[in-house]
Amino acid sequence: MLAGKFYTIVSQQQPAENSIHYTIDWNGAHPIFEGHFPGQPVVPGVCMMQTIQELLSAAVGKKLMVEKASNMKFLNMIDPRVSPQVTVEIGFTEEEGGYKTNAVIKHEATTFLKFQGRFK
């Protein structure tokens, strides 16, 4: 689990019934950045996906795993020194024992990740 160590939730809002927005702080001092990459830290893509998984799981109150990633785009790198705080917007619909999900990680006008898929 990355929550509380790799990132911290600053705030959360529920703008609609099946939507939740989190503001999170990356922990730029986390040991993962020593290897990814020394002198130029970048949030690993797998950690971005794990963050979405954890936040969606918390929102629906169930432990979820990615079942299908129909569309995943890493658009920009996240340097935790430059963008220590980001917004994670998650929209979801429950269907057939899982959750159809759209998620975005962004900061102001910069989008880092767009995800469409299913968690179960």
Side-chain angles (χ1 to χ4, degrees):
M1 203 149 147
L2 300 176
K5 297 175 187 164
F6 189 70
Y7 70 88
T8 305
I9 298 171
V10 175
S11 67
Q12 70 182 56
Q13 300 174 346
Q14 191 169 4
E17 184 178 341
N18 292 333
S19 177
I20 191 146
H21 296 182
Y22 292 92
T23 300
I24 64 170
D25 278 340
W26 300 116
N27 175 5
H30 194 276
I32 200 164
F33 293 118
E34 293 172 14
H36 201 272
F37 295 96
Q40 186 176 1
V42 176
V43 176
V46 69
C47 292
M48 287 188 243
M49 281 305 302
Q50 178 70 25
T51 299
I52 291 169
Q53 176 183 325
E54 290 179 15
L55 295 174
L56 178 59
S57 292
V60 301
K62 298 178 184 177
K63 183 161 175 60
L64 301 172
M65 300 294 289
V66 175
E67 180 181 51
K68 179 180 182 181
S70 8
N71 192 359
M72 184 180 340
K73 294 183 181 181
F74 295 94
L75 301 167
N76 290 288
M77 294 186 297
I78 303 174
D79 180 335
R81 300 169 302 182
V82 177
S83 301
Q85 193 170 87
V86 297
T87 302
V88 182
E89 298 177 355
I90 305 171
F92 55 94
T93 306
E94 188 170 7
E95 59 177 32
E96 302 171 16
Y99 294 88
K100 183 177 177 183
T101 306
N102 291 306
V104 176
I105 298 178
K106 65 182 188 175
H107 177 71
E108 297 176 352
T110 303
T111 300
F112 301 107
L113 169 67
K114 288 184 177 181
F115 171 84
Q116 292 178 328
R118 183 175 159 82
F119 287 85
K120 190 170 184 177

